[in-house]
Amino acid sequence: MAKQSYICGLDAAMSVIGGKWKSLILWELREGTRRFGRLRQALSGVSEKMLMQQLRELEADGIVHREVYSQVPPKVEYSLTELGVSLYESVLPLAMWGEERMDGIGAARASA
Amino acid sequence: MAKQSYICGLDAAMSVIGGKWKSLILWELREGTRRFGRLRQALSGVSEKMLMQQLRELEADGIVHREVYSQVPPKVEYSLTELGVSLYESVLPLAMWGEERMDGIGAARASA
């Protein structure tokens, strides 16, 4: 894959975090490690295939660490890397913006 | 359209700003009003139809204001609303995160 060029920093950041599921995965991992099944439960509506793909991309971008424990049945845990934690911290103001305006956003859409 | 429900504030915020073009539109309007043609020029690669659609959605969400001047030929200018400015301010840390790591993000992708 060729090295991408970005218009600005926000463009680069959105290429990592953009899309519904990735930001929710980041949010869900803020409190620590999660197993695949628990992640999927938290992100109601995501398919197994889609969640796996999103996790792989986040792993390739160095945001998520995947730890495989060789036991039977195999246990796989996901967590944020140091880079992932810095990304989480940088979306906090955006998350607060959404939190404060959540009802308003829905209402505007409904009446549009 | 039914009122949407969101898993968290970040989910709500991403529903407004998610997607490549919307964040770039927000970024481009940070310095003031822009005419459609200039916006399209700044967002190299966006089609006229796509840009129009993204602007309409941002307008419906109260982020972007569309001012039509009745002159010949008609002049249409876009700007951030007060809500749009607050959204812009809340993505600043994320934009800085991307700015600082822009080269690294590209490199990780290229070697993946």
Side-chain angles (χ1 to χ4, degrees):
Chain A
M1 190 174 164
K3 188 169 169 175
Q4 282 181 266
S5 63
Y6 302 104
I7 295 179
C8 62
L10 188 56
D11 187 19
M14 289 300 285
S15 81
V16 175
I17 192 67
K20 186 178 173 92
W21 301 116
K22 283 187 182 174
S23 60
L24 292 181
I25 292 168
L26 189 78
W27 194 251
E28 196 53 32
L29 292 178
R30 74 193 184 282
E31 284 171 353
T33 59
R34 289 279 182 275
R35 294 180 71 163
F36 186 85
R38 176 136 178 222
L39 262 182
R40 204 186 153 192
Q41 212 168 15
L43 276 56
S44 56
V46 71
S47 72
E48 196 174 311
K49 192 183 162 190
M50 173 62 86
L51 179 56
M52 192 62 90
Q53 190 191 323
Q54 302 291 294
L55 282 167
R56 275 208 200 101
E57 290 179 13
L58 286 170
E59 209 186 332
D61 278 337
I63 304 301
V64 161
H65 171 70
R66 181 171 178 265
E67 185 76 42
V68 184
Y69 297 89
S70 44
Q71 59 184 50
V72 181
K75 183 174 134 185
V76 182
E77 280 187 343
Y78 296 90
S79 59
L80 293 183
T81 61
E82 208 175 306
L83 186 64
V85 171
S86 72
L87 178 58
Y88 164 70
E89 285 168 352
S90 77
V91 297
L92 271 178
L94 184 61
M96 280 173 59
W97 183 93
E99 182 73 38
E100 287 165 15
R101 291 159 184 88
M102 219 146 87
D103 294 338
I105 292 169
R109 293 258 175 87
S111 67
Chain B
M1 192 173 165
K3 188 168 169 174
Q4 281 181 268
S5 62
Y6 302 103
I7 295 178
C8 61
L10 188 56
D11 187 18
M14 289 300 285
S15 80
V16 175
I17 192 67
K20 186 178 174 89
W21 302 118
K22 283 187 183 175
S23 61
L24 293 181
I25 292 168
L26 189 75
W27 194 251
E28 197 51 34
L29 292 179
R30 75 193 183 282
E31 284 171 352
T33 59
R34 288 279 181 273
R35 293 180 71 163
F36 186 85
R38 176 136 179 222
L39 262 181
R40 202 183 155 194
Q41 213 168 15
L43 277 54
S44 56
V46 72
S47 71
E48 196 173 312
K49 191 182 162 190
M50 173 63 86
L51 179 55
M52 192 62 88
Q53 190 189 325
Q54 302 290 294
L55 282 166
R56 273 208 201 102
E57 288 178 16
L58 286 169
E59 209 187 331
D61 278 338
I63 304 301
V64 162
H65 172 70
R66 182 173 178 264
E67 185 76 41
V68 184
Y69 297 89
S70 44
Q71 58 184 53
V72 182
K75 184 173 133 186
V76 182
E77 281 188 342
Y78 295 89
S79 59
L80 293 182
T81 61
E82 207 175 307
L83 186 66
V85 172
S86 72
L87 177 59
Y88 165 70
E89 285 167 352
S90 77
V91 299
L92 271 177
L94 184 61
M96 282 174 59
W97 183 92
E99 183 72 39
E100 287 165 15
R101 290 159 186 89
M102 220 146 87
D103 294 339
I105 292 168
R109 294 258 175 87
S111 67

